[in-house]
Amino acid sequence: MKMQHRVSLVGAGPAGFALAIDLEKRGTNVLVYSHPSHLRHVNDVQDKGLLTVRGKLEGSTVLRITSNMRDVIGFSNLIILTVPSTGQETVLQELKKFSLHQHTIVAVPGNLFGLVAEMEVGCIVETNLSPYSCRMDEERLVVLGKKHLVFIAALQKDPGLEIQETMKRIFPLELKWCSNVVEVCLLNVNGVFHPLMMLMNAGRIENTDGNFLLYRDGLTRSVANAMLAVDRVRMEVGEAFGFRMKSAVEISNECYDQSFTDLIDLAQNSGPHNKLKAPSDLENRNISEDVSDLLISWHSLAEKLGIDASPIRAIVVLVEMATGVNYFKIGRDLYKLHLQDVSRNELIQRFGPSTRQNGH
Ligand SMILES: NC(=O)c1ccc[n+]([C@@H]2O[C@H](COP(=O)([O-])OP(=O)(O)OC[C@H]3O[C@@H](n4cnc5c(N)ncnc54)[C@H](OP(=O)(O)O)[C@@H]3O)[C@@H](O)[C@H]2O)c1
């Protein structure tokens, strides 16, 4: 008899819904959790009675939905977080009320969730990106693209074959296992793309309510030049750990199975990117998530490693000047990652390529 699998998904936005529908289609029962103060999409779906999807996935399904974390823990030993990383701490407060020694938590994307979490869990796994590009469109889920590959790692030294097999079953794409969560975080290229496209197009965003194509119209030569400076910092950080680093374009090519030669080529010609509309204002996760949880962590790692991180510092300062939010204060620096007392050498030893290492 075929075994019936179950998965709990924490995060009821387009990324969580796309994974939920895909899993249900492939015979896995899913329970979706929406935090009681974050019910926006869930209310829409419940009003309609079912979730309809179109695009790269087609169909409709009645989702099991809860706002009670006890249901999540009981439903499955496998919990996938699909909240933005800025929401991880809110759901952590709920998760920490339970014993999770038998559970595996998978953060999609991770952005160093495992280091922030500081909790006893059977296993923590992180990916660099979400498998789908998707959005809600009048209560329908639209899946615009599906990645070919995501990068993945466990916080624990060796996740074991069983976890690797489970991840293979859950994610409908190729998984490339990395040494550890720091390497995976350095492979989330949204930190290179998003904040600069937002900042360098701020006037246009605010003038048009985002009525232009963010990559196709907004990633021009000078924006690309600035991105290359940030990308160099990201790569230098990875190289200091001993990882073989690739450029943001090469990583994106690998994830989407494409072969663009540079950032402009990608912005103009990549199907999953060149039709994306700009957000309507700067208060968007392209800044709140990607500056807070990617750029600040890359910056603080760079400083500890003795790498010039001034291109990232410039972005964070300008973001504060433009929005009033000081991400140096609230972002994932070494304190938030519980690495403030770790020396440069310990840091490299702990997260260098030869080990899959526990961050605590
Ligand atoms: N959608 C995509 O195409 C795509 C592509 C690549 C990567 N990703 C990544 O995948 C993740 C999820 O994306 P998404 O589009 O599904 O995001 P989303 O709709 O903005 O958020 C997902 C869910 O998390 C909830 N949430 C937000 N902040 C929270 C908090 N502080 N505490 C508890 N719940 C919170 C949202 O509720 P409310 O909306 O009610 O606040 C929503 O139910 C993000 O990290 C995103 O960067 C998405």
Side-chain angles (χ1 to χ4, degrees), residues 191-192 196-197 200 219-233 263 311-312 315:
V192 175
L196 274 169
M197 270 191 307
M200 295 181 80
L219 204 175
T220 53
R221 175 50 56 202
S222 56
V223 180
N225 288 342
M227 285 178 181
L228 290 176
V230 171
D231 208 24
R232 271 195 294 278
V233 179
L263 289 162
I312 295 181
I315 295 174

Side-chain angles (χ1 to χ4, degrees), residues 17 30 76 159 206 236 321 325:
F17 287 160
V30 176
S76 173
E206 289 173 342
E236 279 177 37
M321 289 162 65
V325 183

Side-chain angles (χ1 to χ4, degrees), residues 42-173:
V42 151
N43 285 341
D44 287 345
V45 170
Q46 276 177 331
D47 285 350
K48 268 206 124 186
L50 81 172
L51 176 67
T52 305
V53 58
R54 64 178 176 81
K56 300 280 174 191
L57 284 173
E58 293 278 347
S60 54
T61 190
V62 178
L63 287 180
R64 286 177 205 83
I65 295 174
T66 184
S67 288
N68 185 342
M69 196 58 90
R70 186 175 296 283
D71 297 341
V72 168
I73 310 295
F75 188 77
S76 173
N77 282 353
L78 185 57
I79 300 171
I80 304 185
L81 304 189
T82 53
V83 285
S85 54
T86 45
Q88 288 169 350
E89 292 196 41
T90 314
V91 297
L92 258 175
Q93 298 316 314
E94 296 298 314
L95 285 166
K96 279 182 172 173
K97 295 175 185 164
F98 301 91
S99 163
L100 296 168
H101 289 95
Q102 302 300 320
H103 285 71
T104 294
I105 300 182
V106 189
V108 182
N111 295 352
L112 297 178
F113 165 78
L115 299 187
V116 174
E118 265 214 322
M119 66 194 292
E120 300 282 327
V121 184
C123 186
I124 292 181
V125 176
E126 300 189 17
T127 69
N128 68 326
L129 294 169
S130 159
Y132 314 88
S133 307
C134 44
R135 62 181 154 74
M136 298 306 289
D137 180 11
E138 292 171 3
E139 297 148 39
R140 262 186 323 192
L141 172 67
V142 183
V143 176
L144 303 161
K146 200 162 152 184
K147 292 184 187 70
H148 166 77
L149 173 153
V150 292
F151 294 92
I152 188 164
L155 182 68
Q156 284 72 7
K157 213 167 185 175
D158 183 1
L161 213 56
E162 199 184 326
I163 296 283
Q164 296 197 24
E165 285 303 317
T166 304
M167 294 305 113
K168 225 183 197 171
R169 176 168 54 74
I170 295 301
F171 292 109
L173 71 184

Side-chain angles (χ1 to χ4, degrees), residues 197-208:
M197 270 191 307
M198 298 292 288
L199 267 185
M200 295 181 80
N201 289 284
R204 192 172 188 181
I205 288 172
E206 289 173 342
N207 247 324
T208 66

